[in-house]
Amino acid sequence: MDNPASRRIFAVMTHHTDILIVGGGLNGAALALALSQTGLTSVLLDAAPRVAMTTPGFDGRSYALALSSVRLLRNLGLWSRLARDAQPIREIRVSDGRAGEGPLSPFFLQFDSAAIDESAADGAMGQMVEDRHLRAALMEAVAADPRINARFDAVVAAQSGDAHSAQVTLTDGHVITARLLVGADGRRSGTADRAGIKRTGWDYGQTAMVCAIGHDRAHNGIAHQFFMPPGPLAILPLTGNRSSIVWSETHANAAAFNALPEDAYLAMLRPRFGDFLGEIRLAGARYTYPLTLTLANSFVAARLALVGDAAHGIHPIAGQGLNAGLRDVAALADVLEQARARGEDIGAADVLARYQQWRRFETTALAVTTDLTNRLFSNDNPLLRAVRDIGMGVVNATGPLKRALQREAAGVRGDLPRLMRG
Amino acid sequence: MQASTGTVDAAEVAKFEAMAAEWWDPTGKFKPLHMMNPVRLDYITRQIAGEFDRDLTGPAPFAGLRILDIGCGGGLLSEPMARLGATVVGADAAPRNIPVARIHAEKSGLTIDYRHTTAEAMAAAGEQFDVVLNMEVVEHVSDPLAYLTACRQLLRPGGLHLCSTINRNAKSYLMAIIGAEHVMRWLPKGTHDWTKFITPEELFDLMSRAGLDPVDRKGYVFNPVSWSWSISDRDLSVNYVTASIQRG
C-alpha cells in the first residue's frame, strides 16, 4: 500500500477524453460522430494503419442498410454524400428454393416499400451501400471533426476501469484516461476479453460466401432471399446492373466452391438462382465468413460498454449485423446524451445499465429469431418445406403480420433511439 | 475543503471511502435514491434551465449559478450540478456525510464546497444563492414554516426553490411506509414519520407564508412493470416535487 501511487487518491484525475473508443471501424466511427453531436469528445483508436482517404476500387463488400440505419447516417450528415452511390431496395422477395431448381416456388413473400409508411417518402425499404463508400464517408467526417481524435496503429496493451475512470495503456507506452471506454473492436473483441466478459456462441456449420456480380438484365431494385437446404442465398441490388450475393453453404461445400476458379465458381452459383438476371460474372473479390453466433454475457462492465460485433455477432441471414451495431451506437449515444444533460457521470454503472437494458434484450431476441429462421429453412425435409411454403403464402396474404415483419426488418419497430427517428 | 481531508488519519479516510462507495453504489444501500435520481435530475435541470434561460445541450449550462443542495448526503445531486458548471455548496446536518461527499467529489474531479451546517445557520450568516435544492428534507424537520423561511432567506430575489417531499394519505402510507420500509426494505424502518408528510396544498400554503411563490408541481410515479420512476403532471399522490420563486 505504501507506494507513491496510493497517495494519489486526493489528486484530481485529469481525463484526456470523455470517451475512448477501441476499434475504428464503421460502428466506432459512427459512435464518435454521434457523440460529437452531443458535445462529447472522443479518442478513436484503431490497431490498423490509417486508411487512404481516396475511395478505393470496389472490393465486392456492401451492406443492406435498414431504414433506421439510413436515418442515423442522415442525422450524422453523411447521407447526402452516400445517396448518389446507394441503390434503393424497392422490394424484397422471399422464397423457398432448391439448388438446381431456381427460386420460383409457388408461394413467396413479397415486401414492398408501400407497406412501411415511414419509407413512403423515400420509396425504399432500405439502401444498398458499398463498403468503400460508407467507410470513406465515415473516415472523412471523423478526420474533419474537432471533437474526435483518431489514432491509428494504436494497439492496446492493458486496460482498467474503476469507480471513477477507465484507463488504457498502448503498446507504445501512451496512457489514455477516459470517463468511459467503448469496445467496438469486433467479434474477437480484446476489449471484452480484457474486461473478463465471456461470450456464448455457436457455429452454424455454414460458411457465407460473399461476392458481387455483374449481370445483363436490370434488377429493378428487387432484393431476393432464397431459402435453400444448404443455407440461404441472398441477391441484393447494387447500382447499375450489379448485385451482391450472400451465399451460404456447409463449411465443406463452401471451402470447395471457394477454391474453384472463377468460371467454375459461377457455374456452381448460376443454377442456384436461375437466369432471371441474364448472364452473370464476378465484379470484385470473393469472401468467406464462417457463420457463428456470439453474444456477450454482458454488454457493460466497470466504465465499459460494448457495441456492434463485440457485443453480438449475428448470423448475417437478414443483413442485420451492421444494422444492429448502428442501433447500439444510436442507443448508447442517446443514453449518454441524456446523462450528460442531467449532469450525471456518463461512465457510471447506473447510466451503463440503461444501455444494457435497452440493447441486450432486443439483441437477444433478434439473435434467437434469426437462428430459428435459419434452422427452419436450412432443411430439405419435405414436410417442413410444405409447412414453410404454406406459411409464407399465409404471411403474404395476412396484411398486419407481413407489415410487422417488414417493419422489424426495416428496423423501425421497437424503442427507437433519437438518431434513428424520422 | 482540501485542508479538512488533509487532517483526517488514514483509517478514517479508508472508512469514508468505503462509505462513499456505498453511497454511490446504484445497487447498494442507496438504491432507491439512485433509481429516482434520473427523474429528480430531469426535473431539477429543466426547471433551472427554464428559469435562468440556459441551454442544457451546451457546455457548462449552469456556469455562473450558485446552487445550495440541502441534505446533500453523498452528493448525488451536488455532483451533477457541479458537472453542469454551477458553483455548488452541499450542506448536511449529519457530520459524517461531509468527508464522504468530499472524497467522492475530489475523485470525480469536481470542486464542491461541502459543509456540516443547517439551512437556518447559513441563512443567519447571510449566504445567498440563485437556486436552493430542498429535496426530501421538509418531511424530516420539526418546524416546516421556520425551515422554509430560512430557505427563502437563502435565495436572491427571484431565486428558484425546488422542494420535494411525500404526500400524506392512505396510499402514501401504504407505499412509503409499508412498501418502501417494510416490504421492499428500500429504506430503514422508521426513516419516515407518516404524520410529518405534507400534502401539496399544505406545502404551497407554507411556501406562500414563507415568501416563496409556488409556480409548478409534479408527481414522481413508480412503475412496477418497467421498475422505474417517471414524472407525472397529475399524480401527486405519493412523491412530488414543487418549484417556487423568491418573492423579492
Side-chain angles (χ1 to χ4, degrees), chain A residues 17-21 31-33 35-36 40-44 147-150:
Chain A
T17 184
D18 292 324
I19 291 141
L20 174 57
I21 303 166
L31 179 63
L33 292 168
L35 294 172
S36 169
L40 292 164
T41 62
S42 59
V43 169
L44 184 61
R147 291 201 182 95
I148 305 171
N149 174 3

Short mmCIF file of all heavy atoms in Angstrom, two decimals, chain A residues 17-21 31-33 35-36 40-44 147-150:
data_model
loop_
_atom_site.label_atom_id
_atom_site.label_comp_id
_atom_site.label_asym_id
_atom_site.label_seq_id
_atom_site.Cartn_x
_atom_site.Cartn_y
_atom_site.Cartn_z
N THR A 17 -10.02 12.46 -22.24
CA THR A 17 -11.17 12.49 -23.14
C THR A 17 -12.41 12.03 -22.39
O THR A 17 -12.31 11.40 -21.34
CB THR A 17 -10.92 11.58 -24.37
OG1 THR A 17 -12.03 11.71 -25.26
CG2 THR A 17 -10.78 10.13 -23.98
N ASP A 18 -13.58 12.35 -22.94
CA ASP A 18 -14.82 11.84 -22.34
C ASP A 18 -14.92 10.34 -22.59
O ASP A 18 -15.14 9.56 -21.69
CB ASP A 18 -16.05 12.53 -22.97
CG ASP A 18 -16.14 14.01 -22.62
OD1 ASP A 18 -15.78 14.35 -21.48
OD2 ASP A 18 -16.54 14.81 -23.47
N ILE A 19 -14.74 9.98 -23.88
CA ILE A 19 -14.96 8.59 -24.27
C ILE A 19 -13.81 8.08 -25.12
O ILE A 19 -13.36 8.75 -26.05
CB ILE A 19 -16.29 8.47 -25.04
CG1 ILE A 19 -17.45 8.73 -24.06
CG2 ILE A 19 -16.46 7.08 -25.64
CD1 ILE A 19 -18.54 9.50 -24.62
N LEU A 20 -13.33 6.91 -24.76
CA LEU A 20 -12.26 6.27 -25.52
C LEU A 20 -12.87 5.08 -26.26
O LEU A 20 -13.40 4.16 -25.63
CB LEU A 20 -11.15 5.81 -24.57
CG LEU A 20 -10.01 5.01 -25.17
CD1 LEU A 20 -9.32 5.78 -26.29
CD2 LEU A 20 -9.00 4.65 -24.09
N ILE A 21 -12.82 5.13 -27.59
CA ILE A 21 -13.42 4.07 -28.39
C ILE A 21 -12.31 3.20 -28.97
O ILE A 21 -11.43 3.71 -29.67
CB ILE A 21 -14.27 4.64 -29.54
CG1 ILE A 21 -15.35 5.58 -28.98
CG2 ILE A 21 -14.90 3.53 -30.37
CD1 ILE A 21 -16.02 6.45 -30.04
N LEU A 31 -20.12 6.00 -33.85
CA LEU A 31 -20.34 6.38 -32.45
C LEU A 31 -19.62 7.69 -32.14
O LEU A 31 -20.19 8.58 -31.51
CB LEU A 31 -19.87 5.27 -31.51
CG LEU A 31 -20.02 5.58 -30.02
CD1 LEU A 31 -21.50 5.76 -29.65
CD2 LEU A 31 -19.39 4.51 -29.16
N ALA A 32 -18.37 7.82 -32.58
CA ALA A 32 -17.61 9.05 -32.30
C ALA A 32 -18.34 10.25 -32.89
O ALA A 32 -18.44 11.30 -32.24
CB ALA A 32 -16.20 8.93 -32.90
N LEU A 33 -18.90 10.10 -34.09
CA LEU A 33 -19.63 11.21 -34.73
C LEU A 33 -20.93 11.52 -33.99
O LEU A 33 -21.28 12.70 -33.79
CB LEU A 33 -19.93 10.86 -36.20
CG LEU A 33 -18.70 10.79 -37.11
CD1 LEU A 33 -19.07 10.15 -38.45
CD2 LEU A 33 -18.11 12.18 -37.34
N LEU A 35 -21.55 10.98 -30.82
CA LEU A 35 -21.21 11.60 -29.53
C LEU A 35 -20.79 13.05 -29.71
O LEU A 35 -21.13 13.92 -28.90
CB LEU A 35 -20.10 10.81 -28.84
CG LEU A 35 -20.47 9.39 -28.41
CD1 LEU A 35 -19.25 8.65 -27.92
CD2 LEU A 35 -21.55 9.42 -27.34
N SER A 36 -20.07 13.31 -30.77
CA SER A 36 -19.62 14.67 -31.04
C SER A 36 -20.81 15.61 -31.18
O SER A 36 -20.77 16.75 -30.71
CB SER A 36 -18.77 14.68 -32.32
OG SER A 36 -18.55 16.00 -32.73
N LEU A 40 -19.79 15.67 -26.74
CA LEU A 40 -18.81 14.83 -26.05
C LEU A 40 -17.58 14.60 -26.94
O LEU A 40 -17.71 14.41 -28.14
CB LEU A 40 -19.44 13.48 -25.66
CG LEU A 40 -20.52 13.56 -24.59
CD1 LEU A 40 -21.35 12.29 -24.55
CD2 LEU A 40 -19.90 13.83 -23.22
N THR A 41 -16.40 14.61 -26.31
CA THR A 41 -15.18 14.39 -27.07
C THR A 41 -14.79 12.92 -27.01
O THR A 41 -15.11 12.22 -26.05
CB THR A 41 -14.00 15.21 -26.49
OG1 THR A 41 -13.77 14.78 -25.16
CG2 THR A 41 -14.31 16.69 -26.50
N SER A 42 -14.12 12.44 -28.04
CA SER A 42 -13.68 11.05 -28.00
C SER A 42 -12.31 10.88 -28.65
O SER A 42 -11.89 11.68 -29.48
CB SER A 42 -14.71 10.15 -28.69
OG SER A 42 -14.88 10.54 -30.02
N VAL A 43 -11.66 9.81 -28.19
CA VAL A 43 -10.44 9.35 -28.85
C VAL A 43 -10.83 8.03 -29.51
O VAL A 43 -11.47 7.19 -28.88
CB VAL A 43 -9.29 9.13 -27.84
CG1 VAL A 43 -8.13 8.40 -28.50
CG2 VAL A 43 -8.82 10.47 -27.27
N LEU A 44 -10.51 7.89 -30.79
CA LEU A 44 -10.88 6.70 -31.55
C LEU A 44 -9.60 5.96 -31.91
O LEU A 44 -8.77 6.47 -32.65
CB LEU A 44 -11.63 7.15 -32.82
CG LEU A 44 -12.22 6.11 -33.76
CD1 LEU A 44 -13.26 5.25 -33.06
CD2 LEU A 44 -12.85 6.80 -34.97
N ARG A 147 -13.92 17.37 -32.32
CA ARG A 147 -14.12 16.68 -31.04
C ARG A 147 -13.62 15.23 -31.08
O ARG A 147 -13.67 14.53 -30.07
CB ARG A 147 -15.61 16.68 -30.65
CG ARG A 147 -16.14 18.05 -30.30
CD ARG A 147 -17.41 17.93 -29.47
NE ARG A 147 -17.95 19.23 -29.16
CZ ARG A 147 -18.90 19.84 -29.89
NH1 ARG A 147 -19.42 19.22 -30.93
NH2 ARG A 147 -19.34 21.03 -29.56
N ILE A 148 -13.15 14.78 -32.26
CA ILE A 148 -12.67 13.39 -32.37
C ILE A 148 -11.18 13.38 -32.65
O ILE A 148 -10.70 14.05 -33.56
CB ILE A 148 -13.41 12.63 -33.49
CG1 ILE A 148 -14.92 12.69 -33.28
CG2 ILE A 148 -12.95 11.17 -33.54
CD1 ILE A 148 -15.72 12.15 -34.45
N ASN A 149 -10.48 12.61 -31.84
CA ASN A 149 -9.04 12.44 -32.03
C ASN A 149 -8.83 10.99 -32.46
O ASN A 149 -8.90 10.08 -31.64
CB ASN A 149 -8.35 12.77 -30.69
CG ASN A 149 -6.87 12.49 -30.70
OD1 ASN A 149 -6.30 12.09 -31.72
ND2 ASN A 149 -6.24 12.68 -29.55
N ALA A 150 -8.62 10.77 -33.77
CA ALA A 150 -8.46 9.41 -34.28
C ALA A 150 -6.98 9.04 -34.30
O ALA A 150 -6.16 9.79 -34.81
CB ALA A 150 -9.06 9.31 -35.67
#
